[in-house]
Every structure is written in C-alpha cells, then in structure tokens.
DNA sequence: ATAGGTGCAAAAAGTTTGCACTGTT
DNA sequence: AACAGTGCAAACTTTTTGCACCTAT
C-alpha cells in the first residue's frame, strides 16, 4: 500500500458508505501519511494544531476510527495505557519494545506469520489483524542493568 | 506455577522489598487465584464487593501492579480500551479474539515461541513477556457473516 | 515507633458523545 | 434540501495519586 493508494482506498470507502469527503478528513489522512514510523493520536493532534489548521481532537479520533476500519492504520502497540499506531504501508512485521527506554525495534518473521495462519485454519478463525509484542530490555538497557546489579 | 507457589512467591517478594503482607493484599491474591480463566480488574473489585469484604478499588489496582511485576498475573489482551488478565499458571499460550462476539480462544504453539527467542537473540533483546493477539471472526461469527452478505 | 498501606475522593489520561451549527453531495 | 460531519464541552472509562488515618513489622 502506498500513499496515493491509501488515499484512493479512503475515498472509495467514504463513497461506498455514503459518507463525506471533508477537508478535515483529508487533512488528518495527509498528516498521517506524512508521518514516518510509529505515532500516537496526540502526535497527530499536535502536528495539526502547530500548522494552525482547524481540525478538532474529536475529528482526529473519528477519522482514525475510519482509517482503522479500512486497514490504513493499525494499532501495533498497547503499552502503559497508550496506543501506538502505524501506517499499514510496509509488509507486516512485529515489535520488540524496551520497557526501560521505550525503544521500539521492528522485526519480520515469515515463519511466525505462517504458523499463525495454520492455527487460524485449525480453529476456523478468520483473522483480520494481529499484533505480537515482545516486551523486555533492549541491548543497551540490558547491559546497563548488568552493571547496576 | 501453582496456587500455593504463587502465594509463596508473593510473600517472598513482599519480604525482599520490605513491603507488608496485609489482609487486603491477601484477599486480592486469593480472589485472583480462585478465578478461572481470563478476568478484568473490575471483575475482582466486584467479586470482593459482593463478599462484603473491605478492599478498595485503589488497593486492588495497587496489588495487581505488584502481581504483574512478580509475574503472577499477565496482561494478555488489550482490546477496546480494556485490559484482560490471566494468572500465569499454565504454560505460555496466545489468543484468538473474536471481534464480533468477544470469544477468546487459547492456543499453544511452541514453534512460535522458539522463533521469538531466536529473534530476541539476534537483537540482543532480553524479553520479559510477550503477547500475541490474533483478532478476527470465530468460526460461528464468520459463518453468520457469510449468510448476511 | 516507624515505615509502608489503605480508603476516599479527586485527578489524570485517553477516548467517546450529545448537540447545535456547518458543509458535502 | 437532506443528511452527514464538525467543534465544543461534557461525559465516560480506566487507572493513578494526595492525604489523613491505620497497621504490620
């Protein structure tokens, strides 16, 4: 999925559902598509505010919900009562999250995906998305901890 | 980990950290150990309330945080801004979550665990816990959806 | 006796919603 | 013109916290 494809999908979805393509929705989508890597909703709210563009927090939340439904963005990490999002442009991958410094490392592992598909098949489960989070200490934090102890 | 082991671990941790073994903490732990399967914090608060036992919601939350730290309970699912917990008594397993009816299916897949360990090693990452959630439609809900469409 | 713990109510933080008004179709 | 969308503030949910009092050690 690339940016213009994402925008087309968004418009298509809007049309199909009889919704409206407003300037606010477009601004939220553009801001998200210009974001590299992981983000929180509040990041988007602030970026928009800094540009003196008029889109309310409520509209950002409402638009995010549409984007989640379409599959343009995904909730990839739930940590410390925060939700971290990502644009679903790259191939699927999962995350290592350092609980000490907050660093996020992405990894891809086809075999894990395949095993998941196998399991879904066994249970007759129709998956829409999944999320694998491995929490722990990154290399740097782990070595610092060794020194402390 | 069985129940009496969990209790011992709890007491050990309390002692080591110079904390106190209060009747409230014991009641919360007992209530959790008597819970089968998945639970939310509010479930524990209500169960305790129904017994006319005096443990406040704040204390339940505070005790849960200790139990998480020890590893006696784990946050296994984050869905719809809810946190679902589980006692870490069984062998590690992951979950299929039906986004339509809320059904939770547990599955175990050693190979996935092994692949995760491999990845952590590659990145020098020291994992403490992980969570794999596969969201989608369970068999029943998937077949109903076929009929609707 | 002295930390640490508890309950309460208030506060945070994240997210949703009701309502009057506005804008897309 | 109709109906969906928006902004705002209020509401809601889940979780944490400050404080005065209490209790395990």
């Amino acid at each position: 999925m690339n940016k213009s494809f994402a925008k087309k999908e968004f418009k298509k979805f809007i049309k199909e559902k009889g919704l409206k393509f407003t300037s606010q929705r477009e601004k939220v989508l553009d801001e998200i598509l210009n974001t590299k890597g992981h983000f929180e909703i509040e990041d988007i709210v602030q970026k928009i505010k800094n540009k003196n563009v008029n889109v309310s927090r409520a509209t950002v939340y409402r638009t995010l919900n549409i984007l989640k439904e379409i599959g343009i963005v995904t909730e990839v990490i739930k940590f410390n009562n925060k939700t971290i999002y990502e644009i679903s442009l790259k191939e699927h991958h999962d995350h290592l999250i350092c609980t000490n410094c907050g660093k996020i490392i992405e990894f891809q592992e086809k075999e894990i995906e395949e095993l998941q598909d196998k399991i879904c098949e066994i249970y007759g489960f129709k998956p829409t998305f999944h999320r694998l989070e491995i929490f722990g200490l990154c290399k740097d934090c782990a070595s610092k901890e060794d020194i402390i102890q």
Side-chain angles (χ1 to χ4, degrees), chain A residues 63-126:
Chain A
T63 306
L64 249 289
N65 284 338
I66 296 177
L67 295 174
K68 266 195 273 184
E69 197 180 336
I70 306 177
I72 292 174
V73 302
T74 318
E75 295 181 345
V76 288
I77 298 171
K78 289 278 197 175
F79 183 50
N80 275 160
N81 307 320
K82 283 202 184 316
T83 301
I84 297 176
Y85 291 88
E86 207 176 75
I87 312 167
S88 325
L89 296 174
K90 300 195 237 176
E91 249 196 286
H92 187 84
H93 55 263
D94 293 303
H95 300 87
L96 304 174
I97 303 107
C98 179
T99 50
N100 186 241
C101 71
K103 192 194 289 169
I104 297 171
I105 301 166
E106 298 182 355
F107 68 89
Q108 237 175 313
E109 181 54 65
K110 259 189 200 155
E111 276 186 71
I112 290 183
E113 312 284 318
E114 287 164 11
L115 288 164
Q116 286 179 31
D117 290 343
K118 190 195 81 182
I119 284 152
C120 288
E121 224 166 279
I122 292 171
Y123 289 96
F125 193 88
K126 197 173 151 190

